Structure formats: structure tokens, C-alpha cells
């Protein structure tokens, strides 16, 4: 740098023609103002000191040397004159260089920390509010009387210490340290270099960031947690019933045998349990699950499932660019075994209300009989109470198909649960409004099915048997209606044409059986009343109830089928689309259909909006035959639900 300064001065004063070699000029220090004239002269004029030649030559060379030395003296004076301006500039440049060195000459990244992540962490730390930086500096025990505040050059070391001591930084320790930092800030007892920023609002900013630091959450973490909560049922994260660190230790000890599962990286805690990533070393997933089960204690109250990674959106790691429902890499999911439903009182209350709405429905359709209503009004005067026997008989006949259909539906569920050895809860009736008796049974799965195929079979068989039974009752009732005498028909319960039109499938069957053509019945005035055999009425409404149970929302049978066919992320997409479609239906359909859809939408939002619990393995796809059967059943359900 000094040689460069010398050259600049030389150019300014026009002495660049000086023939003294550059290596000679480097023999002096401009700041010390001293140099060795003898060395310079000896290199430019080698004969001056060592040769004993002609006196005339020596005299001439001596004259030239004096002239050169004079020029050097002039140059020295010029340097001295300009140095007053150069020295402050030089000091500023040196200071900047030193500061840059402090910032960019960082130590090696800590173990387990990539260099890129380390640099990003240092930059992130530098951008934290003053109180957070100071609080973490204090928490690490780095704040001393000599160095009470962190400097920019300390940031890399602070980040390294945070990484190494992360297990020791407890909630209380961080809170106390940040409190100390805020006290210093309020007292303004810090150097000016630390007083940058809005000090008045530093406490509010600090509290906002500390609240995240204390819970160990950032934006990515919160997104992952929300995604997990979206695709796992609430019963998997019941209060005081989450998988513990001890449960994780049991699992990891079982996985020490690398022939079972090769663990990759650290386990990740999620709401309700843990995720362990790695590779399956067994030939099949069933062998993997069985091997793990054989290596853990028999009385272990936790369990492991092998499913797609819940912390990654499946759409980010598609198996195929054309796959509409891609899945993430499979992982081991550790949860507690107890996933039984809560709120037993609510379940009892729901059943009681549903029985009431069912009886009200039967009374409502039977009371449409004008003669029956007139007789009921005259009971007090006539004293003839036999009318109640007639009313009870009609209500009973209407509700028989409703009850039988639900029982058959439930027997189908029980058969699959028994076959595949998983537990289910007692059925709970879901209440509804006057348009339908109820929304059927809700049967919770209390222990994990072995796989998605088992889950599909469980979800499919109930509605399939229920729809089939409903159609049988409907057809039988319509045949009984056509063969009944006019006197008998007058005593049948009644449905309005508007009620019949809420179902394309049911209405079409009524048209065909009673009118012989499409629209013979459903094309009449909406207020017209159609008297049908009680089994026809019960079969018709049961058809709707079974179809609504196939809606792919939450933990309904339709939601379980969707989960089995499309995976958890795909099920979320399907459920969201159906939810929005039902909501639009409540806005644009006619009154009868609107009321039913609105009731279904509300009930599913509050009573059946939870995702089903995980199966033991959710990696093996359901076969194509079952997939086709599921789509066919959904098609029938759509025909039953969509109005004319």
C-alpha cells in the first residue's frame, strides 16, 4: 500500500521519470520518514563505492548521485506535505478492512451444521432485536464485565454455542436472560453501537419473538404441526396421552437391529407422538410391523404405524408427474395405543336426541293423513282411543326399515372388525331434523386396522349393505302400494312430491313403479301428497341416510373410503371439494333439498369432521377391484342425493 501511495505522489509531482528502481524505493517507510540512502545509491551506481577507476568518472558519478539524492529529498518533502491527508484516509481503510475481517473470517461450522446453514444462522442472529441477541448472549454465560455486550465478531461463536448448548437452554433460563437484557435496555446501560433500532418498542418485539423461541416454533414448524393436525384425528393427541420420550427410546432400541429398519437422522416430535425416518429392511411392510411388534414389550402402551410422512405435503414429492394424489416418503409414526373416543356423555346425549328426532319423523309422516288427524282431534269427545293403536302401528312400520337398515349396516362393520382384529366403539345415533329420522350410526374405530385395505372394507361394507337393504324395502313398499285397496291406501303415511324430488334415484324408482314413466309422479305439483306403504316411506328415507353416510368428509364411511383410496393428503383435497360443493348446494337448490343439505353440512362440520386414526400401515395401495367398487358405490350415492 505504501508503494502505491508513493507512485501516486510521484505522478502528481511529475517525477515518474526518476530512474531509481522500485525495489530501492521500497527500502523506506513513508510513515517513519527514514530510508537507507547508501543502499539506494549502491544499487543505482554500483561503481560509486567499490570501484577505483578514473577520478573524472568518479567525480561525474558522484555528481549524479548527489543529484539523485537531491531529487529524493524533494520527493520526501512532497510525501511529508501530502501525508497529512493520506494518513486519516489510510486509517479509515484499515479500520474497514479489520471490520470486514471480523465479520467474514468465521470459524468452522459446528458438527452437524452445514456451512450454508451456519452462515444463514449467523445472518439470522444478526437480524434479531437487540434484547434477544443480548438475552441469548447472557444465557450462554458469555456476558462478562470485560465484554458485557456481543460484538459483530462474536456472532459466529454465539451461534455455534447456541447449537452446542441447545439442550441446556431451558425455558426458565431463556426467560430470565431476556428479562435481564430488557432491564439493561430500559436503563440504556449499553454502548451506542447497541442502541440502534426502536428501543421503545423493543419489549413488545422481544416478547413476540420469545414466545416463539420458548415453544421452539417457527413458521415452518407451525405449518408442519397444522398439517399433522389436519391429517390425523384429534384422538391421536388427547391431553396427557401423547407418546413420550421413553416410548421413543423403546422404539429406537427395537430398531438397533439394522436388518429391520435403518434409522436416518433424529426423530421428529409431532403433535401426539414422533416420526422416525429411515428405510425398511424387510421384504414387506407387514414383516416390518411384525418385527417391530416382536421386539417391543408386550405391555407397551404405544404403537408404530408405517405411513407417508405427515410433515411433508405429498404434492411436493410426487411418485409420478401424472399422479393426482402423490404421497411423501414413508416413515414410522409413533403414537399411543389409546385412540378411543372421548366425551361419553355427549355420545349418550346424541343417541337420545336422535331417537327423539326419529320418533318425530315417524309421527310427522303419519300425521299427514287428514282423516287420522281429525280422529285424533275428536278423541276427547268420542273417547275412542283405538286411533292411537292405528297411529302407533303406522309409525312402527315406517321405522322398521330405518332400524333394520341401520342394524344391517352395523353388522357389516362388526364383521370386518372381527375378521381383521381391531376394536370399534358402540354405535352412536346422529340426530337430524324433521326431513330425515337421523343420519345413521357413527361407529368409531378404537384400535388401528392392519392396513388401508381393511379400512376400505370396513367403510365400504356398511353403506353397501345399508343401501341394498333400503332399496329392498323401497321396492317392496312400492309393490305393496300398487296392490293395496283404495281404503288401505287412505291409511298409508304420506310424502309430498317435494319430498320425493330430493332424490333422483328414489324419485325415478317411484316414477317407474307407480307411474310407469319418468316424471309421472315427480312432475306433479310439489304440494301434492303421495300416500305410500310404510315400508316404502322407510326405505326411501333410509336410502338418503345411507347415501349421506358415503359423503367423503371426516370420519364418515365415505371419508374412510376416500382416505383408503387417495391417501391422507388426497383425502383432504377430496373432502374440501365436497364440502364446498355441499355449501353451494345450500345456496342454490330448492327448499326441501336445501334444508337437508344444510343439515348434513352442519352435522358433519361439528360431529364428524375429524380424520380417521392411522392404520398400522398405509403404504400398500388398495387394489383396483376395490377402487372400482368404491367409485360405483359413490355413483349410486350421488344419484340418491342429487335432487331432480
Amino acid at each position: 500500500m505504501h508503494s502505491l501511495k508513493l507512485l501516486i505522489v510521484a505522478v502528481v509531482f511529475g517525477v515518474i521519470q526518476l530512474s531509481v528502481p522500485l525495489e530501492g524505493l521500497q527500502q523506506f517507510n513513508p510513515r517513519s520518514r527514514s530510508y537507507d540512502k547508501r543502499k539506494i545509491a549502491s544499487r543505482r551506481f554500483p561503481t560509486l563505492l567499490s570501484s577505483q577507476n578514473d577520478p573524472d568518472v568518479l567525480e561525474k558519478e558522484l555528481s549524479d548521485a548527489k543529484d539523485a539524492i537531491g531529487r529524493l529529498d524533494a520527493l520526501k518533502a512532497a510525501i511529508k506535505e501530502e501525508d497529512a491527508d493520506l494518513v486519516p484516509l489510510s486509517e479509515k481503510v484499515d479500520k474497514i478492512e479489520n471490520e470486514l475481517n471480523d465479520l467474514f473470517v468465521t470459524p468452522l461450522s459446528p458438527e452437524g451444521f452445514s456451512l450454508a446453514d451456519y452462515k444463514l444462522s449467523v445472518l439470522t442472529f444478526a437480524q434479531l432485536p437487540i434484547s434477544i441477541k443480548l438475552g441469548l448472549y447472557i444465557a450462554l454465560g458469555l456476558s462478562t464485565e470485560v465484554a458485557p455486550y456481543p460484538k459483530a465478531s462474536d456472532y459466529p461463536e454465539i451461534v455455534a454455542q447456541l447449537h452446542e448448548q441447545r439442550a441446556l437452554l431451558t425455558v426458565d433460563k431463556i426467560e430470565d436472560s431476556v428479562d435481564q437484557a430488557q432491564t439493561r435496555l430500559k436503563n440504556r446501560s449499553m454502548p451506542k453501537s447497541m442502541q440502534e433500532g426502536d428501543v421503545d418498542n423493543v419489549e413488545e418485539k422481544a416478547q413476540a419473538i420469545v414466545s416463539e423461541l420458548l415453544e421452539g416454533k417457527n413458521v415452518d414448524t407451525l405449518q408442519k404441526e397444522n398439517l399433522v393436525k389436519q391429517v390425523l384425528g384429534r384422538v391421536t393427541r388427547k391431553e396427557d396421552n401423547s407418546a413420550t420420550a421413553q416410548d421413543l427410546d423403546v422404539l429406537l432400541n427395537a430398531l438397533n437391529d439394522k436388518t429391520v429398519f435403518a434409522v436416518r437422522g433424529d426423530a421428529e416430535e409431532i403433535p401426539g407422538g414422533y416420526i422416525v425416518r429411515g428405510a425398511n429392511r424387510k421384504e414387506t411392510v407387514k414383516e416390518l410391523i411384525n418385527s417391530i411388534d416382536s421386539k417391543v414389550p408386550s405391555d407397551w402402551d404405544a404403537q408404530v404405524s408405517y405411513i407417508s410422512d405427515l410433515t411433508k405435503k405429498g404434492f411436493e414429492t410426487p411418485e409420478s408427474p401424472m399422479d393426482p394424489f402423490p404421497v411423501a416418503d414413508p416413515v414410522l409414526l409413533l403414537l399411543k395405543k389409546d385412540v378411543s373416543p372421548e366425551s361419553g356423555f355427549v355420545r349418550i346425549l346424541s343417541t337420545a336426541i336422535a331417537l327423539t328426532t326419529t320418533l318425530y319423523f315417524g309421527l310427522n309422516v303419519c300425521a299427514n293423513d287428514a282423516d287420522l288427524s281429525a280422529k285424533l282431534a275428536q278423541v276427547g269427545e268420542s273417547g275412542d282411543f283405538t286411533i292411537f293403536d292405528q297411529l302407533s302401528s303406522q309409525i312402527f312400520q315406517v321405522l322398521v326399515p330405518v332400524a333394520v337398515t341401520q342394524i344391517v349396516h352395523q353388522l357389516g362393520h362388526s364383521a370386518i372388525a372381527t375378521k381383521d382384529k381391531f376394536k370399534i366403539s358402540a354405535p352412536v345415533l346422529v340426530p337430524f331434523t324433521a326431513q330425515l329420522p337421523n343420519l345413521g350410526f357413527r361407529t368409531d374405530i378404537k384400535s388401528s386396522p392392519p392396513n388401508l385395505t381393511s379400512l376400505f372394507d370396513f367403510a365400504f361394507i356398511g353403506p353397501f349393505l345399508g343401501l341394498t337393504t333400503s332399496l329392498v324395502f323401497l321396492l317392496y313398499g312400492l309393490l305393496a302400494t300398487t296392490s293395496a285397496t283404495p281404503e288401505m291406501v287412505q291409511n298409508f303415511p304420506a310424502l309430498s312430491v317435494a319430498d320425493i324430488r330430493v332424490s333422483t334415484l328414489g324419485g325415478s324408482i317411484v316414477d317407474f313403479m307407480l307411474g310407469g314413466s319418468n316424471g309421472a309422479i315427480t312432475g306433479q305439483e310439489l304440494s301434492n301428497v303421495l300416500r305410500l306403504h310404510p315400508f316404502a316411506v322407510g326405505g326411501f328415507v333410509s336410502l338418503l341416510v345411507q347415501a349421506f353416510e358415503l359423503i367423503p368428509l371426516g370420519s364418515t364411511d365415505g371419508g374412510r373410503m376416500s382416505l383408503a383410496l387417495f391417501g391422507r393428503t388426497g383425502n383432504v383435497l377430496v373432502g374440501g371439494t365436497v364440502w364446498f360443493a355441499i355449501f353451494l348446494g345450500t345456496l342454490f337448490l330448492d327448499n326441501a333439498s336445501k334444508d337437508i343439505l344444510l343439515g348434513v353440512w352442519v352435522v358433519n362440520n361439528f360431529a364428524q369432521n375429524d380424520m380417521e386414526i392411522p392404520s398400522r400401515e398405509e403404504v400398500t395401495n388398495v387394489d383396483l377391484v376395490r377402487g372400482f367398487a368404491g367409485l360405483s358405490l359413490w355413483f349410486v350415492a350421488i344419484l340418491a342425493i342429487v335432487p331432480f
Side-chain angles (χ1 to χ4, degrees), residues 316-484:
E316 297 176 355
T317 56
E319 294 177 353
S320 167
M322 301 302 293
D323 187 357
F325 302 109
V327 294
D329 294 334
V331 297
L332 293 178
L333 172 65
L334 174 63
L335 298 171
K336 286 293 189 183
K337 283 183 180 178
D338 181 14
V339 289
S340 57
E342 298 178 298
S343 305
F345 173 76
V346 174
R347 296 167 66 84
I348 295 174
L349 181 63
S350 174
T351 299
I353 295 174
L355 289 174
T356 303
T357 60
T358 301
L359 289 173
Y360 178 76
F361 170 81
L363 179 62
N364 187 50
V365 296
C366 293
N368 280 332
D369 185 347
D371 293 338
L372 182 61
S373 299
K375 291 179 181 179
L376 287 172
Q378 298 173 2
V379 167
E381 299 178 1
S382 63
D384 182 8
F385 292 95
T386 58
I387 187 63
F388 288 107
D389 295 335
Q390 180 184 346
L391 178 61
S392 299
S393 176
Q394 287 192 13
I395 293 175
F396 176 78
Q397 292 183 66
V398 167
L399 297 183
V400 163
V402 175
V404 171
T405 300
Q406 291 297 335
I407 291 173
V408 172
H409 179 127
Q410 186 62 26
L411 288 175
H413 283 328
S414 299
I416 297 300
T418 301
K419 178 180 76 71
D420 292 337
K421 301 178 180 179
F422 60 92
K423 299 177 182 179
I424 59 176
S425 69
V428 178
L429 268 177
V430 180
F432 202 63
T433 57
Q435 289 88 354
L436 294 176
N438 54 66
L439 273 185
F441 282 136
R442 172 187 170 91
T443 305
D444 294 302
I445 299 177
K446 297 173 63 176
S447 62
S448 297
N451 48 50
L452 291 178
T453 297
S454 177
L455 178 65
F456 176 87
D457 292 345
F458 178 84
F460 176 88
I461 193 65
F464 173 76
L465 293 176
L467 283 173
T468 302
T469 306
S470 299
L471 289 172
V472 169
F473 275 111
L474 175 59
L475 292 173
Y476 176 84
L478 292 175
L479 288 173
T481 301
T482 58
S483 61

Side-chain angles (χ1 to χ4, degrees), residues 96-333:
I96 293 174
E97 287 179 346
N98 292 334
E99 291 178 351
L100 290 175
N101 288 335
D102 288 342
L103 287 175
F104 291 105
V105 179
T106 62
L108 295 176
S109 60
E111 184 177 356
F113 228 142
S114 68
L115 184 59
D117 289 341
Y118 187 37
K119 290 182 177 179
L120 180 60
S121 299
V122 173
L123 177 61
T124 302
F125 181 85
Q127 295 173 340
L128 289 175
I130 297 172
S131 62
I132 300 299
K133 287 187 287 191
L134 181 56
L136 294 174
Y137 187 68
I138 295 171
L140 292 171
L142 301 177
S143 179
T144 63
E145 293 183 1
V146 178
Y149 302 99
K151 298 180 296 184
S153 59
D154 297 328
Y155 293 173
E157 180 60 21
I158 294 174
V159 171
Q161 290 292 329
L162 286 172
H163 178 71
E164 294 172 2
Q165 299 185 33
R166 60 189 184 277
L168 303 178
L169 295 176
T170 63
V171 171
D172 293 336
K173 188 172 184 179
I174 294 177
E175 283 183 329
D176 293 340
S177 300
V178 173
D179 288 341
Q180 294 179 39
Q182 291 174 352
T183 300
R184 293 190 191 181
L185 291 171
K186 289 179 181 179
N187 296 334
R188 303 296 194 271
S189 58
M190 66 280 191
K192 293 182 179 180
S193 60
M194 290 284 293
Q195 296 183 19
E196 300 173 357
D198 187 1
V199 179
D200 293 333
N201 295 329
V202 71
E203 184 173 355
E204 296 179 4
K205 295 179 181 178
Q207 291 295 342
I209 295 181
V210 168
S211 65
E212 293 185 0
L213 289 175
L214 296 182
E215 297 179 3
K217 297 177 182 178
N218 51 33
V219 175
D220 291 338
T221 302
L222 291 175
Q223 288 178 342
K224 287 182 180 180
E225 288 190 1
N226 290 335
L227 182 60
V228 170
K229 292 177 180 179
Q230 192 176 26
V231 298
L232 281 182
R234 287 188 293 271
V235 292
T236 63
R237 51 183 185 276
K238 293 187 293 185
E239 187 175 359
D240 299 327
N241 192 49
S242 297
T244 63
Q246 289 77 14
D247 294 325
L248 179 62
D249 290 338
V250 171
L251 174 60
L252 294 179
N253 288 334
L255 298 179
N256 283 335
D257 183 358
K258 301 302 182 182
T259 63
V260 176
F261 188 85
V263 178
R264 182 179 68 248
D266 295 331
E268 179 176 355
E269 186 174 6
I270 62 170
Y274 293 88
I275 281 178
V276 179
R277 296 179 177 84
N280 177 18
R281 295 304 188 190
K282 293 295 183 180
E283 293 185 3
T284 65
V285 179
K286 184 177 181 179
E287 290 182 14
L288 169 66
I289 297 298
N290 290 339
S291 296
I292 294 175
D293 288 345
S294 66
K295 293 178 180 296
V296 298
S298 57
D299 59 347
W300 194 37
D301 63 349
Q303 74 172 17
V304 176
S305 298
Y306 194 54
I307 68 175
S308 298
D309 194 337
L310 302 175
T311 64
K312 299 180 181 178
K313 295 180 180 178
F315 309 103
E316 297 176 355
T317 56
E319 294 177 353
S320 167
M322 301 302 293
D323 187 357
F325 302 109
V327 294
D329 294 334
V331 297
L332 293 178
L333 172 65

Side-chain angles (χ1 to χ4, degrees), residues 434-561:
Q435 289 88 354
L436 294 176
N438 54 66
L439 273 185
F441 282 136
R442 172 187 170 91
T443 305
D444 294 302
I445 299 177
K446 297 173 63 176
S447 62
S448 297
N451 48 50
L452 291 178
T453 297
S454 177
L455 178 65
F456 176 87
D457 292 345
F458 178 84
F460 176 88
I461 193 65
F464 173 76
L465 293 176
L467 283 173
T468 302
T469 306
S470 299
L471 289 172
V472 169
F473 275 111
L474 175 59
L475 292 173
Y476 176 84
L478 292 175
L479 288 173
T481 301
T482 58
S483 61
T485 63
E487 292 77 12
M488 294 174 62
V489 171
Q490 288 302 315
N491 293 324
F492 285 164
L495 293 176
S496 67
V497 173
D499 294 332
I500 299 295
R501 286 177 60 88
V502 299
S503 171
T504 297
L505 178 60
S508 297
I509 293 175
V510 171
D511 272 342
F512 178 78
M513 295 293 293
L514 300 184
S517 63
N518 188 30
I521 303 298
T522 56
Q524 299 177 13
E525 291 292 331
L526 297 180
S527 59
N528 288 354
V529 174
L530 182 65
R531 297 191 179 280
L532 300 172
H533 188 278
F535 280 9
V537 174
F540 184 87
V541 297
S542 292
L543 181 68
L544 287 171
V545 171
Q546 298 299 312
F548 281 123
E549 290 204 38
L550 282 168
I551 292 179
L553 290 174
S555 57
T556 63
D557 287 328
R560 291 163 175 158
M561 287 172 53

Side-chain angles (χ1 to χ4, degrees), residues 572-624:
V572 172
L573 177 61
V574 172
T577 303
V578 172
W579 183 93
F580 185 69
I582 294 176
F583 177 74
L584 290 179
T586 64
L587 300 177
F588 299 108
L589 294 177
D590 59 64
N591 291 334
S593 299
K594 178 191 298 184
D595 292 342
I596 293 177
L597 285 179
L598 180 60
V600 171
W601 187 80
V602 171
V603 169
N604 277 285
N605 273 334
F606 290 97
Q608 301 186 103
N609 64 341
D610 205 14
M611 189 77 75
E612 192 51 81
I613 66 173
S615 301
R616 293 303 305 275
E617 73 101 341
E618 296 187 0
V619 176
T620 306
N621 294 326
V622 174
D623 59 72
L624 292 178

